[in-house]
Amino acid sequence: SRRKKCKGKQKKGEFGEEGREASGDAGKESVLGAEMLKLQLEDVQSSPCRGPGDVCAGKEPLPSLPAGCRRISSSESEYSDAEGGIQSKVRSYQANVRQGALACFLSTIKSIEKRVLYGYWSAFVPDAPGIGSPQSVSLMTIALKDPSPKTRACALQVLSAFLEGSKQFLSVAEDANDHKRAFTPFSVTIASSIRELHRCLLLALVAESSSQTLTQIVKCLANLVSNAPYSRLKPGLLTRVWNQIKPYISHKDVNVRVSSLTLLGAIVSVQAPLPEVQLLLQQPSSSGLNSSGSATPGRFSCCEQWRKALPWAGEGPGDTAAGCAPAEPCWLLRLCVSIIVLPREDSCSDSDANFPSLASVYEPCPLRLEALQVLALLVKGYFPMAQNYFLELGEVACRCMEEMDPSIQLHGAKLLEELGTGVLQQHKPDSPTAPEQRVPVSVVVTFWTMMLNGPLPGTLQSSPHATLQTSACDALSSILPEAFSLLQGDQQILCVTLLLGLNHSENPLVKAAAARALGVYILFPCLRQDVMFVADTANAILNSLHDKSPNVRAKAAWSLGNLTDTLIINMETMGQSFQEELSDLLLLKLLRSATEASKDRDKVKSNAVRALGNVLHFLQPCHVGNPRFREAMEESLQALIATVGSEATMKVRWNACYALGNVFKNPALPLGEAPWATQAFSALSSVVKSCKNFKVRIKSAMALSIPSTRECYGSTEQFCQIWSALVVALQRSEDTEDFLEFKYSSSLRTQICRALLHLLQLARSTDLPLIGGTLREHGEAIKPYVLQYLRSSGEESEAGMHTDCGERERGLQGAIDHLSGIERELQGKARVRVSLYLEDVLTNHASATELTEA
């Protein structure tokens, strides 16, 4: 009785909780022992030695642990009242010390570089013990053994910080193949550590009784899942996590439920799509739901309840397209939709009182938000599985955008964007999805009609919530072009009007999103041929291009690039009619604005130079001869040439080379006579020889091969300088300091050889002496590269063009015929017959081909 009275006086709060846990360990161990033993037996790397699961089997703690870290049962000692109180305080003080040490450790982790931190990985993260050796002490030892829930939670926080941002470090892990070597590779060691982390965290998940610590365990698991390279590991890890976390979706504590959804979101987003996760998503809905007494499976019992709540049930593309809709929806999809749209079934824990949505008939707001995020991740990573409920998911997004809570509206808009993007990816020309398995265009039209007749227009005009407007803009830009053309005329006008209006928003986020969306719409076939829409869009983009926000200018520059791409497409498809309808004044504004933007920061510059190349390609003889255009043209050309030879990022220089190639395609420009042409050829010749980035070299070689006549290359001296630069570039095509560039060397040689043959086919008699001299000095050095070019049939060029072996041989033969004719006219005056050199190359190639076929 005295002992009971003493216990009654014990402090409440942390000490009381620790005391109750300490005195109840024996009972808890007997209840959980069987379940944890099952976990250990199921483990892929089960070990006969002692592991963290011993806490459930009632074994002694690790001998290396201090006495204060042991979970002590009241039956293990007989203290007097005073002694018991002192021991309780001592244990409490020791726990505070450990928590302080872990807090200090957490601050240290957050303040040092990751590359330094991961040098200590093995000291704090568990590794699978060898046969007969004891388990090493690690952060997981504290998480499993410490008697204080707060201390366990602190250890898990430290471990989470350790795992955060570890993707690059863990990417070396690999155990997909059995390694039979005399030593253990580092990749296998890291893979073993990842497996042990999974095992220990799942053991901790089953053993934990404190809701706060349980939340930390699940968050730690989510961090681990987000960073582990599962495609390089043996399958099975995610299956265990998936099955063990299912019951906690219905835990009495809402924080545990939210973190469990976060973990499921990490599973469906990591390296998606993973075959193991695809199999998990196809499991029956009831699988794994009855393995814990904490679950309340009532929410999952009615398979069609959530579908009955939505008016579009049964009309998904799975019924109309492939006819492969499963008998019941994917478990995770149904769970998320149920949490989002169905009323709550019963009262939850006191922690729900922390959220203002308690009075609502729906689940707590954080839970619904997490369910929306998981649903968006599921649609993004596994769209073929979600597309069977395409219209139902669209209705979910609609309902969310109709609610009063801006955060729910925001995530509803993000779900809508993912649905639209999934359809866009399916309908791309290079999509691996067969046409009969795609969401039908008619269903996509129904989907967007529902959106435009629903809350989307109102959401776009919700000016108090800029982030919501931004997401709605992004969602509207994800519409399928084929579906847009089939919408009613008033709905098409509504979309365009809303975007043009939002482009004048004072909020930079909204303005940037609107500018980007207009850049998407300008490529729609049904809109790009409308001169009025092109003019309105151009003026709106030019307005954004002068905005003070760098992000707005970057998006506007990207849209300007798309707009000028449209000018080229219309010029090639519609011809003179479109060129005459487009205002000269607007064209001049485009040229001047793009020139000004090419002097901006790199994110703006990369698309500004692309736009410059397109506009200069689009100009007609009437523009070239117009004095108003002459100064703007000169300034824009100088900006392009300067960018090619600048120290800007490689993407900017690549786009500048591409732009100069576009300029060379315009026959109205005086390419062979203008002073700027000499500067352009010189800049490209320098880049093709010495640029560190091989993709920039490839694009410069491509630009040098674009002029279609000999006159475009100017004087003999200039022509031969280009020829010599290409020969030097071919010899240096394998010289690089960056090993990652080496994979582009073959494409570079292909493009240079194509450019050299192009020049030979255009050469004049005055060019032959210098060409012959170059071949006399370097002919033997470049011959293997030319032979390799002739042999490598079917290779795709940088421009996406395939050239077969026969076409390359015909190109070489055409150069031989052209040069032979010139040499005959010279009547033997040429000191080196270039045609004989080429004939020798062709003969060697033919002999090698015969030997290969034989």
Side-chain angles (χ1 to χ4, degrees):
S1 62
R2 286 168 58 192
R3 189 176 294 118
K4 288 180 182 177
K5 188 181 295 183
C6 179
K7 287 185 179 179
K9 293 179 182 178
Q10 201 173 33
K11 289 184 180 180
K12 292 184 179 180
E14 179 193 344
F15 297 168
E17 186 178 3
E18 291 169 10
R20 285 195 303 274
E21 183 168 325
S23 63
D25 274 349
K28 183 175 70 175
E29 289 163 5
S30 61
V31 172
L32 296 174
E35 190 161 8
M36 295 186 69
L37 181 60
K38 180 183 176 184
L39 267 175
Q40 287 178 295
L41 292 173
E42 287 174 353
D43 198 328
V44 177
Q45 293 189 349
S46 58
S47 172
C49 64
R50 199 214 61 75
D54 295 345
V55 69
C56 302
K59 294 186 180 179
E60 285 292 320
L62 289 174
S64 56
L65 283 174
C69 288
R70 303 181 183 181
R71 294 190 179 184
I72 303 174
S73 172
S74 60
S75 61
E76 290 179 354
S77 61
E78 291 296 334
Y79 295 117
S80 67
D81 294 340
E83 289 172 336
I86 291 171
Q87 289 294 329
S88 177
K89 286 183 179 181
V90 168
R91 287 199 300 272
S92 177
Y93 294 150
Q94 289 174 336
N96 288 340
V97 171
R98 295 196 299 276
Q99 290 162 27
L102 287 166
C104 182
F105 191 13
L106 182 61
S107 298
T108 307
I109 287 176
K110 290 181 177 179
S111 62
I112 62 175
E113 294 182 31
K114 292 292 183 183
R115 62 185 182 85
V116 177
L117 176 65
Y118 293 133
Y120 298 92
W121 176 272
S122 58
F124 300 107
V125 179
D127 189 12
I131 297 175
S133 60
Q135 178 89 29
S136 59
V137 179
S138 67
L139 287 168
M140 275 311 307
T141 311
I142 305 172
L144 283 162
K145 297 281 188 179
D146 199 286
S148 165
K150 269 194 174 182
T151 309
R152 297 199 295 275
C154 287
L156 290 160
Q157 278 185 307
V158 173
L159 183 57
S160 281
F162 228 97
L163 291 170
E164 194 171 345
S166 61
K167 183 174 289 185
Q168 186 175 358
F169 174 72
L170 297 181
S171 64
V172 301
E174 184 177 15
D175 70 347
N177 302 315
D178 292 329
H179 296 271
K180 297 180 179 178
R181 301 175 185 171
F183 64 94
T184 303
F186 181 66
S187 59
V188 176
T189 302
I190 297 298
S192 172
S193 182
I194 292 172
R195 287 192 169 276
E196 185 66 8
L197 269 175
H198 280 79
R199 189 179 77 88
C200 292
L201 284 170
L202 289 176
L203 288 173
L205 184 70
V206 175
E208 191 53 62
S209 60
S210 166
S211 294
Q212 290 182 347
T213 311
L214 196 57
T215 303
Q216 288 299 329
I217 293 172
V218 181
K219 285 181 179 178
C220 195
L221 268 170
N223 249 340
L224 174 60
V225 168
S226 298
N227 291 285
Y230 292 100
S231 57
R232 296 167 60 90
L233 303 174
K234 291 178 181 176
L237 289 177
L238 286 175
T239 302
R240 295 195 62 207
V241 175
W242 178 275
N243 291 332
Q244 288 300 315
I245 201 60
K246 272 186 174 184
Y248 294 91
I249 297 298
S250 302
H251 195 274
K252 62 183 180 180
D253 188 285
V254 71
N255 292 311
V256 175
R257 299 171 71 194
V258 171
S259 57
S260 299
L261 280 175
T262 304
L263 174 54
L264 288 171
I267 291 174
V268 297
S269 63
V270 62
Q271 301 164 26
L274 280 175
E276 183 179 357
V277 177
Q278 285 179 324
L279 291 174
L280 291 172
L281 291 171
Q282 293 167 2
Q283 282 183 355
S285 297
S286 58
S287 175
L289 283 177
N290 298 318
S291 60
S292 172
S294 62
T296 53
R299 172 170 290 278
F300 313 105
S301 58
C302 300
C303 177
E304 296 301 320
Q305 185 181 359
W306 67 274
R307 298 189 74 188
K308 289 176 183 177
L310 302 175
W312 299 95
E315 298 179 22
D319 302 325
T320 56
C324 57
E328 58 178 343
C330 157
W331 171 81
L332 184 56
L333 186 147
R334 184 162 62 86
L335 166 70
C336 292
V337 174
S338 300
I339 291 172
I340 296 163
V341 304
L342 293 184
R344 61 194 304 166
E345 294 184 346
D346 52 6
S347 59
C348 293
S349 71
D350 294 339
S351 59
D352 289 358
N354 298 327
F355 306 112
S357 60
L358 179 62
S360 169
V361 295
Y362 294 110
E363 295 286 359
C365 184
L367 192 64
R368 298 180 71 208
L369 289 175
E370 199 62 44
L372 274 167
Q373 291 186 62
V374 174
L375 203 53
L377 291 170
L378 178 62
V379 170
K380 182 179 181 179
Y382 300 88
F383 185 76
M385 191 164 292
Q387 76 177 73
N388 295 308
Y389 310 96
F390 185 65
L391 291 178
E392 287 93 336
L393 292 174
E395 177 65 21
V396 171
C398 263
R399 287 195 177 192
C400 291
M401 287 191 288
E402 286 170 350
E403 293 197 19
M404 299 301 294
D405 188 336
S407 57
I408 297 288
Q409 290 178 306
L410 174 64
H411 285 85
K414 289 184 181 295
L415 173 60
L416 173 58
E417 182 188 356
E418 292 297 348
L419 288 166
T421 304
V423 173
L424 279 175
Q425 296 294 330
Q426 269 196 347
H427 285 262
K428 277 186 174 180
D430 56 349
S431 170
T433 308
E436 64 275 7
Q437 294 179 344
R438 299 173 185 174
V439 180
V441 176
S442 59
V443 175
V444 183
V445 173
T446 304
F447 176 87
W448 283 106
T449 301
M450 174 174 65
M451 295 300 157
L452 294 169
N453 290 336
L456 186 56
T459 305
L460 284 163
Q461 298 173 72
S462 178
S463 54
H465 304 292
T467 310
L468 178 57
Q469 279 184 296
T470 303
S471 288
C473 264
D474 293 338
L476 194 60
S477 68
S478 67
I479 186 170
L480 186 70
E482 294 89 336
F484 183 87
S485 64
L486 296 175
L487 290 174
Q488 296 179 5
D490 58 339
Q491 291 178 328
Q492 292 183 5
I493 293 170
L494 174 65
C495 293
V496 172
T497 306
L498 286 169
L499 292 177
L500 287 172
L502 289 172
N503 194 71
H504 296 284
S505 171
E506 294 180 0
N507 187 285
L509 288 174
V510 178
K511 193 169 185 176
R516 179 192 169 277
L518 286 171
V520 172
Y521 274 47
I522 197 65
L523 296 175
F524 286 5
C526 63
L527 290 178
R528 70 178 178 221
Q529 297 179 357
D530 184 344
V531 178
M532 291 302 297
F533 174 72
V534 171
D536 289 342
T537 303
N539 285 313
I541 290 171
L542 291 178
N543 170 269
S544 296
L545 200 60
H546 296 93
D547 195 87
K548 62 181 180 180
S549 166
N551 186 42
V552 173
R553 297 200 303 274
K555 299 292 185 185
W558 179 82
S559 295
L560 183 64
N562 285 3
L563 174 72
T564 54
D565 285 343
T566 294
L567 297 183
I568 302 301
I569 294 169
N570 287 343
M571 180 179 72
E572 294 170 351
T573 56
M574 299 174 66
Q576 197 75 19
S577 61
F578 180 82
Q579 292 169 311
E580 291 173 354
E581 287 184 48
L582 195 67
S583 162
D584 287 356
L585 182 60
L586 177 60
L587 204 57
L588 187 59
K589 282 173 66 179
L590 288 172
L591 192 59
R592 286 174 174 165
S593 296
T595 303
E596 185 181 346
S598 70
K599 300 168 187 174
D600 205 330
R601 58 183 64 195
D602 284 353
K603 283 190 176 181
V604 180
K605 188 185 293 187
S606 62
N607 284 297
V609 293
R610 175 166 72 103
L612 273 180
N614 284 331
V615 175
L616 290 167
H617 181 194
F618 184 82
L619 294 179
Q620 303 306 302
C622 62
H623 301 129
V624 176
N626 190 328
R628 287 195 305 169
F629 276 85
R630 193 170 296 131
E631 183 183 349
M633 284 171 50
E634 183 66 30
E635 189 179 350
S636 61
L637 285 163
Q638 290 301 327
L640 276 181
I641 294 165
T643 306
V644 168
S646 69
E647 294 299 319
T649 61
M650 296 308 166
K651 182 179 179 181
V652 173
R653 297 180 72 185
W654 187 95
N655 274 330
C657 292
Y658 172 82
L660 275 181
N662 260 342
V663 173
F664 293 165
K665 292 178 183 177
N666 190 344
L669 295 174
L671 193 55
E673 307 164 3
W676 60 262
T678 302
Q679 295 172 312
F681 284 127
S682 176
L684 290 170
S685 299
S686 174
V687 167
V688 80
K689 289 188 294 184
S690 58
C691 184
K692 293 180 180 179
N693 187 281
F694 276 22
K695 294 183 84 171
V696 176
R697 286 201 213 179
I698 291 168
K699 191 53 69 176
S700 61
M702 191 176 294
L704 288 170
S705 66
I706 284 176
S708 56
T709 63
R710 173 62 186 82
E711 289 72 22
C712 293
Y713 286 99
S715 66
T716 298
E717 182 183 1
Q718 184 169 290
F719 182 86
C720 292
Q721 283 176 352
I722 296 169
W723 165 268
S724 299
L726 287 168
V727 170
V728 172
L730 186 59
Q731 292 176 280
R732 296 179 181 175
S733 60
E734 293 181 348
D735 298 345
T736 177
E737 297 175 2
D738 187 354
F739 180 74
L740 295 175
E741 293 297 322
F742 193 76
K743 61 183 177 183
Y744 300 112
S745 60
S746 176
S747 298
L748 175 60
R749 286 193 294 272
T750 297
Q751 195 56 55
I752 292 174
C753 288
R754 189 176 288 126
L756 286 170
L757 289 178
H758 176 71
L759 291 178
L760 289 174
Q761 290 170 353
L762 300 177
R764 295 173 179 165
S765 58
T766 54
D767 304 325
L768 290 187
L770 281 170
I771 293 175
T774 307
L775 290 177
R776 188 169 56 249
E777 292 180 25
H778 306 289
E780 290 304 314
I782 66 173
K783 184 182 286 186
Y785 296 128
V786 180
L787 288 170
Q788 185 181 8
Y789 163 73
L790 293 172
R791 284 197 300 269
S792 57
S793 59
E795 185 177 294
E796 186 176 355
S797 71
E798 183 75 10
M801 299 168 57
H802 285 275
T803 53
D804 59 16
C805 187
E807 186 179 342
R808 298 180 185 202
E809 289 174 6
R810 286 190 293 273
L812 180 58
Q813 188 62 55
I816 293 171
D817 295 341
H818 172 73
L819 293 170
S820 298
I822 294 176
E823 288 166 350
R824 279 195 299 271
E825 292 176 5
L826 292 174
Q827 297 178 348
K829 294 180 183 178
R831 284 181 290 179
V832 176
R833 293 191 62 187
V834 180
S835 61
L836 290 179
Y837 173 83
L838 297 179
E839 285 174 358
D840 182 49
V841 171
L842 190 59
T843 303
N844 287 349
H845 170 66
S847 301
T849 304
E850 289 175 4
L851 286 172
T852 304
E853 291 174 352

